[in-house]
Amino acid sequence: MAPHASLNTSDISEKARRDLLQLLEGVRGKKNLVLEKALAGPLNLLVKFSTLQEYGVDKPFFLENDNVDSSQRNIVFLVRGEKAKTVMAVANQIKRLRNKGQIDHEFSIFWVPRRTMVSDQILEEAGVLGEANVTECPLYFIPLAEDLLSLELDDCLSDLYLRKDPTSVYLSAKALMLLQQKHGVFPRIIGKGDNAKRLADLLIRMRTELTASESSNGGGTSFLGLTPSSSIDSLIIIDREVDFPTVLLTQLTYEGLIDEVFGIQANQTEVDSSIVGAAPQQPSQNAGSASVAPQALKRKIAIDSKDTLYNTLSDSNFAIVGNLLNKVARRLQSSYESRQIASKSTAELREFVAKLPGYQAEQASLKLHTSLAEEIIKHTRSELFTRPLEVQQNIMSGADPTTQHDTIEELIDRAIPLSTILRLLCLESCTNAGMRAKDLENFKRAVLHGYGQQHLLTLSSLEKMGLLTTRSSGLGGAAAKPGSVTNYTSVRRSLRLWDDEVNEADPNDISYVFSGYASLSVRLVQSIVQKHYLAALVRPAGQQAAAAAQGWRLFEDAAKNIRGATFDETQTGEEKAVKARQMLNGAGHADSGKTVVVFFLGGVCRAEIAALRFVAKKLAEGGGKRLLICTTAIVKGDGVVGAAIETGRFGTGV
Amino acid sequence: SNLLISEALNQLDTNSRIEKLKLAAKLLQDSRDHTLQFKAIDETQRLLKMQDAFEKDLGPGFAGLSINETMFKLIKLGNMKRAQKVQSEFKVTEKTYWWIRLRALVVKRDWNELEEI
């Protein structure tokens, strides 16, 4: 048996692709594919449409559009089976098609990622269960980049924290189990947060279940797969609940800002074509103001690590993106100019021509990113961007939040988007363990007046998520029950969350992504994998603590002040298996090359990813571990509060 | 009561909406923790009634607006008096009112009025 290869994300996408295509192959003949909209993006990352066509897919449909026609006999549904609503939609479509039916349709349903009891029941009640072939399509992690895996569960945030629905915990556990089966058990599971604890418990239980069932089958040979992994160092689970403020802040990296301004879905962003110049008939004066040209064509742009220019830009602070672009432009120009000089010998010419496509591609991407950056600058210069940012920075640096209230009130009066206001309010509430009852009441009234009475529901949802609370209500002050709320004032000091001397151009600390604030979640990860560095940062010139501390050691005090359970479990395999493993690998495997899996339960924002990549780079320089970021979904602040916002309105006139 | 509010959102005409809201309010009446919510529901009812009246006099497009938006629209249509009435009815602060007035007048391009301010 080969030792576990080091974790590789392309393996995962390869496997997912194979699984999917195999399923499609199982349905004979041509077929129409019905997709859930949320799955279209991830699917696009895995397979090209032309490949799907090769496998007999005739036309793709969206489930939401409700327009499947009967042009093909076979109809394949590829949908998530977790939500009763989508299952109902599937059932309705099948019924509709059957009633229309001149042709005898054959239905297949692929539940992503698993078949549930509920879905079966709903289908049965609708009377269509017997007519469809139901299978599972185990699509879990979808690699978005080399070091980034996502489950792409867009609703997981509201599921977890608003409706307290643990489905996504279960799905995460399943996904992580698959990793374990392939690469061996995580030798250590460290985490923070109540839901994270639940996930870890689930993982441990699943593992024992698996071992139990294996031994009862008498299969003694496969236990090697469940020994501590030699390629993975540990799993770190961070619950989003632990660190809401980070996602509520405006992200200041290039990628983060693209997400804030345009939105990114499965590595694709949709930008007004007038900005990036795909539709020439649009007069350039109109560029940018989406309100002027709402009917303008949207252009989809794939942004991923294939674009080398984007790679260098995506994680840097936006303040320096302009300079970077400028530099690249200069370089390109000079290489073009060198053409005239270089066109002496044919060999040189040939060399130049060979490089030409590369240059052209680079030029195109340069043009694209320059126009994107310009658009973002336009956005960031507006007062609607700078004022909230100012408030955010003040709150995070620990200024008295009451001084910010006037600004927030003014912003409400000026009717800036509700989500921005809610982000600010929630931020204040989260960092200060709730707001004073009187202030909160005033703000609630202002929000209702400003944005409509239907937001009564919004506010109560936010309260339920623990985002917007009154101080010392129920939960008790921070002193009453340590671990139930995050005590920011103390954590700010002990983990050095605020950095006054940020260097955006040449970052020396993760605080550069937010221009000052070092996100708590990433600091937690650092406190596990980068102890020396962090310890030196927190206590400059202090006594260096013991070298080989593991787990939470050194930072227990800080962790205590943060909301949610803290845990640290080690998983060891059977003695014999471990020994066998060591024999296979040659004992004394060094620490280098091992992977630390960081799992964000409830989503991660792009700025955090940037910060983690920065940490990873530092680790790699030290010849140490690799970081692999896993998450349920990529989120941004608007999404967090958006989960709570009530979209209905009183009145149909609008 | 949240359930009733969301039901109220789904109702089609004002009267049935108000009925639902009344039910929601009744549930909260006796509870001491929910005074804010109770007041807000009460406000909603009054607002809906007012908006109904405005719609009769000034044309459609009022129902569903927030209080600030209602004032905004009223000023835009040149109905200062009614806007002031809304302001006093819901105890909107002076500062908020002036912001709204400023924005509305700019949208209306009523520079004369703006100068008077």
Side-chain angles (χ1 to χ4, degrees):
Chain A
M1 197 165 168
H4 303 301
S6 65
L7 260 173
N8 201 341
T9 47
S10 59
D11 288 350
I12 295 168
S13 59
E14 190 55 45
K15 184 174 177 305
R17 185 181 307 139
R18 245 184 296 122
D19 283 346
L20 180 68
L21 292 179
Q22 212 163 33
L23 278 174
L24 282 178
E25 224 171 3
V27 181
R28 247 173 289 148
K30 288 221 162 204
K31 51 222 151 208
N32 281 342
L33 182 67
V34 185
L35 276 177
E36 195 182 345
K37 243 181 204 156
L39 277 176
L43 194 68
N44 197 20
L45 285 178
L46 288 177
V47 278
K48 292 210 177 62
F49 184 61
S50 55
T51 327
L52 286 180
Q53 274 175 326
E54 278 168 33
Y55 280 81
V57 173
D58 189 43
K59 276 188 220 154
F61 293 93
F62 283 130
L63 181 67
E64 283 84 348
N65 289 354
D66 200 28
N67 61 351
V68 190
D69 60 16
S70 41
S71 57
Q72 294 296 337
R73 193 162 160 270
N74 290 317
I75 292 174
V76 177
F77 290 92
L78 187 68
V79 283
R80 286 200 197 279
E82 306 292 340
K83 293 261 153 51
K85 223 163 135 196
T86 44
V87 181
M88 299 270 257
V90 171
N92 285 338
Q93 299 239 355
I94 292 181
K95 266 201 266 182
R96 187 173 59 84
L97 281 172
R98 196 178 43 185
N99 290 342
K100 262 205 303 191
Q102 299 93 342
I103 330 170
D104 197 15
H105 285 293
E106 217 158 277
F107 300 103
S108 323
I109 305 175
F110 301 153
W111 295 124
V112 179
R114 62 178 181 132
R115 183 177 183 170
T116 55
M117 291 289 281
V118 183
S119 69
D120 275 356
Q121 207 143 32
I122 292 174
L123 288 185
E124 205 177 340
E125 271 167 30
V128 291
L129 183 62
E131 292 182 45
N133 297 316
V134 183
T135 21
E136 295 182 343
C137 174
L139 197 62
Y140 288 98
F141 277 132
I142 292 159
L144 294 179
E146 239 165 76
D147 54 353
L148 179 63
L149 296 175
S150 165
L151 288 170
E152 292 288 301
L153 294 170
D154 294 336
D155 300 331
C156 81
L157 213 104
S158 55
D159 278 353
L160 260 183
Y161 304 114
L162 182 58
R163 284 185 273 285
K164 319 278 180 206
D165 173 356
T167 310
S168 42
V169 177
Y170 180 76
L171 290 180
S172 316
K174 276 286 234 194
L176 288 169
M177 268 318 273
L178 282 182
L179 272 187
Q180 293 204 50
Q181 274 165 326
K182 191 125 189 280
H183 301 281
V185 168
F186 304 119
R188 200 183 189 105
I189 302 178
I190 311 166
K192 181 80 203 159
D194 294 342
N195 283 314
K197 172 95 176 106
R198 232 162 277 153
L199 175 58
D201 290 344
L202 200 56
L203 272 176
I204 292 168
R205 223 187 64 204
M206 277 183 172
R207 176 173 162 250
T208 37
E209 271 172 16
L210 199 68
T211 350
S213 69
E214 256 177 20
S215 56
S216 67
N217 288 343
T221 43
S222 58
F223 64 78
L224 264 179
L226 281 171
T227 52
S229 166
S230 57
S231 55
I232 302 176
D233 178 72
S234 55
L235 168 71
I236 303 173
I237 308 173
I238 307 272
D239 191 349
R240 183 77 277 162
E241 204 174 36
V242 170
D243 182 23
F244 273 131
T246 306
V247 271
L248 291 170
L249 288 168
T250 312
Q251 307 173 55
L252 292 177
T253 59
Y254 182 55
E255 190 175 45
L257 271 171
I258 292 182
D259 198 11
E260 298 274 344
V261 180
F262 305 113
I264 302 178
Q265 268 253 311
N267 282 3
Q268 271 191 335
T269 180
E270 262 184 38
V271 183
D272 225 304
S273 57
S274 52
I275 299 166
V276 285
Q281 72 268 23
Q282 211 72 45
S284 57
Q285 297 100 290
N286 278 1
S289 50
S291 53
V292 178
Q295 74 279 48
L297 283 165
K298 294 272 186 182
R299 182 176 153 200
K300 277 201 171 159
I301 301 168
I303 39 171
D304 50 27
S305 40
K306 279 182 209 114
D307 188 340
T308 44
L309 177 62
Y310 183 67
N311 249 357
T312 54
L313 293 178
S314 60
D315 292 339
S316 20
N317 190 299
F318 188 69
I320 59 159
V321 163
N323 286 341
L324 284 177
L325 281 172
N326 200 346
K327 228 185 273 171
V328 176
R330 288 263 167 80
R331 185 171 51 80
L332 265 182
Q333 201 183 8
S334 66
S335 56
Y336 263 111
E337 273 163 8
S338 70
R339 175 178 47 178
Q340 275 98 30
I341 316 156
S343 61
K344 289 169 199 157
S345 75
T346 44
E348 271 171 313
L349 199 62
R350 193 184 307 141
E351 195 181 308
F352 180 77
V353 171
K355 275 191 204 155
L356 210 55
Y359 282 143
Q360 273 166 351
E362 209 174 343
Q363 199 185 16
S365 97
L366 178 68
K367 198 173 148 209
L368 174 74
H369 288 297
T370 318
S371 39
L372 276 183
E374 259 171 22
E375 182 58 26
I376 294 173
I377 286 175
K378 231 181 267 165
H379 182 78
T380 52
R381 289 242 173 94
S382 70
E383 249 197 5
L384 294 187
F385 180 85
T386 50
R387 294 294 290 273
L389 186 66
E390 200 183 301
V391 177
Q392 286 174 1
Q393 296 284 7
N394 283 336
I395 292 177
M396 288 326 289
S397 63
D400 185 11
T402 43
T403 53
Q404 306 303 320
H405 285 178
D406 276 347
T407 322
I408 300 180
E409 259 162 31
E410 186 193 315
L411 289 171
I412 294 177
D413 292 346
R414 294 173 66 176
I416 69 165
L418 174 64
S419 58
T420 316
I421 291 291
L422 290 179
R423 274 168 86 161
L424 293 178
L425 292 177
C426 294
L427 186 67
E428 189 193 324
S429 160
C430 284
T431 49
N432 293 292
M435 279 192 201
R436 257 185 303 167
K438 199 171 137 258
D439 293 336
L440 187 63
E441 208 157 301
N442 280 341
F443 278 125
K444 274 187 176 173
R445 246 172 60 92
V447 167
L448 292 181
H449 281 188
Y451 300 96
Q453 306 286 336
Q454 72 270 25
H455 293 299
L456 257 182
L457 298 177
T458 309
L459 293 170
S460 89
S461 299
L462 285 174
E463 218 162 308
K464 224 162 144 194
M465 288 166 84
L467 281 172
L468 195 60
T469 50
T470 44
R471 204 174 298 172
S472 72
S473 77
L475 286 169
K481 214 166 75 188
S484 61
V485 276
T486 304
N487 184 350
Y488 264 85
T489 26
S490 83
V491 174
R492 194 176 288 131
R493 219 172 325 110
S494 58
L495 288 179
R496 196 145 184 261
L497 295 185
W498 184 260
D499 188 359
D500 278 325
E501 298 127 30
V502 271
N503 188 346
E504 284 145 358
D506 182 21
N508 49 8
D509 185 33
I510 56 160
S511 56
Y512 85 95
V513 295
F514 285 114
S515 295
Y517 166 66
S519 76
L520 173 61
S521 52
V522 182
R523 278 282 195 250
L524 283 176
V525 175
Q526 273 187 311
S527 75
I528 296 162
V529 298
Q530 259 190 332
K531 282 181 191 304
H532 285 298
Y533 169 74
L534 194 58
L537 193 68
V538 175
R539 281 174 241 129
Q543 60 289 359
Q544 290 298 315
Q550 272 190 317
W552 288 108
R553 207 86 58 76
L554 286 185
F555 294 100
E556 287 128 335
D557 287 347
K560 229 180 272 165
N561 277 322
I562 300 165
R563 158 182 177 173
T566 314
F567 58 92
D568 181 357
E569 313 264 1
T570 40
Q571 295 198 92
T572 48
E574 295 163 62
E575 197 98 358
K576 243 195 299 177
V578 178
K579 283 210 179 113
R581 150 85 356 103
Q582 272 172 351
M583 304 260 277
L584 275 174
N585 292 340
H589 224 289
D591 222 19
S592 63
K594 281 199 178 187
T595 308
V596 177
V597 181
V598 184
F599 188 88
F600 278 88
L601 188 63
V604 64
C605 71
R606 281 167 207 279
E608 276 176 305
I609 296 172
L612 278 173
R613 283 189 181 144
F614 180 76
V615 173
K617 214 161 72 193
K618 282 276 141 86
L619 281 177
E621 276 167 17
K625 305 155 186 169
R626 282 199 323 145
L627 279 189
L628 176 70
I629 310 163
C630 302
T631 179
T632 47
I634 293 181
V635 293
K636 54 180 172 172
D638 286 348
V640 176
V641 291
I645 289 179
E646 171 65 41
T647 45
R649 276 181 152 224
F650 286 105
T652 43
V654 201
Chain B
S1 84
N2 278 349
L3 208 63
L4 279 168
I5 296 176
S6 57
E7 256 181 51
L9 280 173
N10 291 330
Q11 299 300 317
L12 283 177
D13 68 305
T14 316
N15 284 333
S16 52
R17 273 203 200 104
I18 290 176
E19 283 305 309
K20 287 277 176 204
L21 287 175
K22 266 187 192 148
L23 280 176
K26 212 182 250 171
L27 281 177
L28 294 177
Q29 214 161 20
D30 304 324
S31 155
R32 211 177 302 151
D33 302 337
H34 296 94
T35 40
L36 176 87
Q37 196 142 355
F38 177 69
K39 263 189 229 147
I41 293 172
D42 184 51
E43 266 180 5
T44 315
Q45 294 174 38
R46 277 186 287 147
L47 178 66
L48 281 173
K49 269 183 209 148
M50 279 178 112
Q51 283 173 343
D52 228 22
F54 293 149
E55 280 200 346
K56 265 178 208 138
D57 299 348
L58 304 166
F62 277 101
L65 296 182
S66 71
I67 291 173
N68 288 6
E69 284 163 347
T70 310
M71 289 192 288
F72 182 83
K73 195 172 167 94
L74 283 171
I75 296 172
K76 214 172 95 186
L77 293 172
N79 265 299
M80 282 302 177
K81 269 207 189 110
R82 284 186 208 205
Q84 262 156 9
K85 202 179 134 212
V86 176
Q87 187 206 356
S88 61
E89 173 87 26
F90 296 105
K91 301 198 189 69
V92 177
T93 55
E94 275 301 303
K95 206 168 128 198
T96 310
Y97 181 72
W98 281 101
W99 266 113
I100 292 166
R101 191 159 163 206
L102 190 67
R103 280 192 297 128
L105 289 177
V106 170
V107 168
K108 207 176 144 198
R109 314 235 168 265
D110 191 342
W111 307 123
N112 292 335
E113 190 87 23
L114 263 178
E115 260 174 45
E116 271 173 41
I117 296 176

